[in-house]
Amino acid sequence: MSLSANDKANVTAIWKKILPKSDDIGDQALSRMLTVYPQTKTYFAHFADLSPGSPQVRKHGDIIMNKIDDCVNHMDDLFPYLSGLSDLHATKLRIDPANFKILAHNLLVVVAAYLPNDFTPEVHLSVDKFLQQVALALAEKYR
Amino acid sequence: MVAWTDFERETIKSIFGKLDYDDVGLAALCRCLVVYPWTQRYFGNFGNLYNADAIRANPMVAAHGKVVLNGLDKAVKNLDNIKGTYAELSVLHSEKLRVDPDNFRLLADCLTIVVAARMGADFTAEVQAAFQKFLAVVVSSLCRQYH
């Protein structure tokens, strides 16, 4: 399910609208993941406060979202670009890759809520494929 | 038996009370057929599903979206016995329609996204949790009679 030229164009276009709200969207996506899929909290036992909007959650949402924003500029070389992060996730963080899908879903929900008219089924398809590729690149070094 | 909090019951009824079933049914099913094109395998007799515009304009997709939402309505009205309410529907989907149950989850995800788009900021994390719990129970009940 690799990215077509159309997919890349769709992702680039909608990300121009996502970028100005990137911090809020990232925070929302991570908070929702922790609320709606509580099993994901198991990866954040070291956070003092896991309530939605807490400073640690917000900061972590920023980190993740900023990286996803960068990935939009690296759609042609995602796997090399994410190589180091993949090492980190594989050897240190060891997050079950099923959770990448869960976070992606919550990101899609937030984008739909913020940009209902732009997030058409066609754009949704492209963004879903993009996030799936990001997830694959992140899981590349797992085994 | 599923344990629903008062917040969950009120939230689910409130969401469905505000939804236009025709609009949301079409939007959710259309999104599912576009984003997960392999789901089109179950709709061979629907005619033109060649692209998103065709799917959006297809009257059979609209009609079926309505069927699905009205089916969900039954669960909303029988929150304490969704399993029983869906027993026959589960047999239908497994024996006659032969739908891979993973597809229920795909449609549920699309419906969640459509509702998020309709509700915007009102679709808070807690509201999303209640809505997705409801859909998870629906999906589980539909899977019940598969063997």
Side-chain angles (χ1 to χ4, degrees):
Chain A
M1 302 198 223
S2 53
L3 299 175
S4 67
N6 191 46
D7 289 325
K8 292 178 192 175
N10 281 343
V11 170
T12 302
I14 195 153
W15 232 265
K16 286 195 169 72
K17 305 204 177 185
I18 288 173
L19 269 175
K21 311 173 209 271
S22 191
D23 288 352
D24 284 336
I25 289 177
D27 177 38
Q28 278 281 321
L30 192 64
S31 297
R32 271 167 204 273
M33 185 188 80
L34 296 167
T35 304
V36 181
Y37 301 86
Q39 72 272 19
T40 57
K41 291 195 282 194
T42 56
Y43 291 101
F44 299 97
H46 56 292
F47 276 23
D49 179 4
L50 274 175
S51 53
S54 85
Q56 274 180 308
V57 171
R58 195 170 174 94
K59 184 169 165 221
H60 201 67
D62 279 353
I63 291 172
I64 294 176
M65 196 65 189
N66 287 338
K67 203 63 192 179
I68 297 178
D69 293 345
D70 287 343
C71 285
V72 174
N73 296 322
H74 287 270
M75 283 190 279
D76 290 329
D77 65 332
L78 262 183
F79 281 65
Y81 180 64
L82 288 174
S83 176
L85 255 189
S86 183
D87 283 330
L88 177 75
H89 282 75
T91 58
K92 192 156 170 271
L93 303 177
R94 287 177 291 193
I95 296 168
D96 188 321
N99 293 286
F100 301 151
K101 211 166 164 176
I102 291 175
L103 180 57
H105 168 73
N106 285 289
L107 186 49
L108 296 175
V109 168
V110 176
V111 170
Y114 272 72
L115 301 166
N117 298 324
D118 297 291
F119 198 59
T120 62
E122 298 92 317
V123 170
H124 174 168
L125 167 61
S126 297
V127 176
D128 193 40
K129 285 174 75 177
F130 163 66
L131 292 174
Q132 195 181 69
Q133 287 295 309
V134 169
L136 275 173
L138 271 182
E140 173 73 357
K141 304 285 184 60
Y142 268 56
R143 54 179 177 173
Chain B
M1 249 288 278
V2 182
W4 301 102
T5 64
D6 288 341
F7 172 80
E8 284 164 351
R9 282 180 199 275
E10 281 157 28
T11 298
I12 292 158
K13 286 186 195 297
S14 164
I15 291 175
F16 278 86
K18 295 193 182 100
L19 291 182
D20 174 342
Y21 285 9
D22 291 354
D23 161 50
V24 168
L26 170 60
L29 187 55
C30 172
R31 199 163 279 259
C32 190
L33 294 169
V34 169
V35 178
Y36 309 107
W38 53 93
T39 57
Q40 292 170 24
R41 78 188 300 281
Y42 300 109
F43 301 100
N45 63 329
F46 271 31
N48 187 357
L49 297 177
Y50 298 135
N51 54 47
D53 287 331
I55 292 170
R56 207 175 274 122
N58 188 314
M60 292 181 83
V61 174
H64 197 68
K66 207 166 145 180
V67 163
V68 169
L69 261 288
N70 282 304
L72 287 174
D73 189 71
K74 288 198 183 87
V76 175
K77 295 187 159 72
N78 290 282
L79 283 177
D80 292 314
N81 186 23
I82 296 180
K83 197 168 76 183
T85 305
Y86 278 175
E88 276 179 31
L89 265 179
S90 178
V91 171
L92 174 77
H93 282 76
S94 91
E95 303 288 312
K96 187 156 174 266
L97 304 175
R98 300 195 199 270
V99 177
D100 177 344
D102 204 51
N103 292 278
F104 303 148
R105 197 183 44 78
L106 297 180
L107 181 56
D109 283 350
C110 286
L111 182 57
T112 302
I113 282 165
V114 167
V115 170
R118 297 288 180 277
M119 289 180 66
D122 288 342
F123 198 63
T124 63
E126 290 78 10
V127 167
Q128 181 184 345
F131 188 69
Q132 290 202 211
K133 178 175 166 177
F134 168 73
L135 289 179
V137 172
V138 162
V139 167
S140 168
S141 304
L142 273 178
C143 291
R144 220 58 181 53
Q145 303 299 329
Y146 277 68
H147 63 94

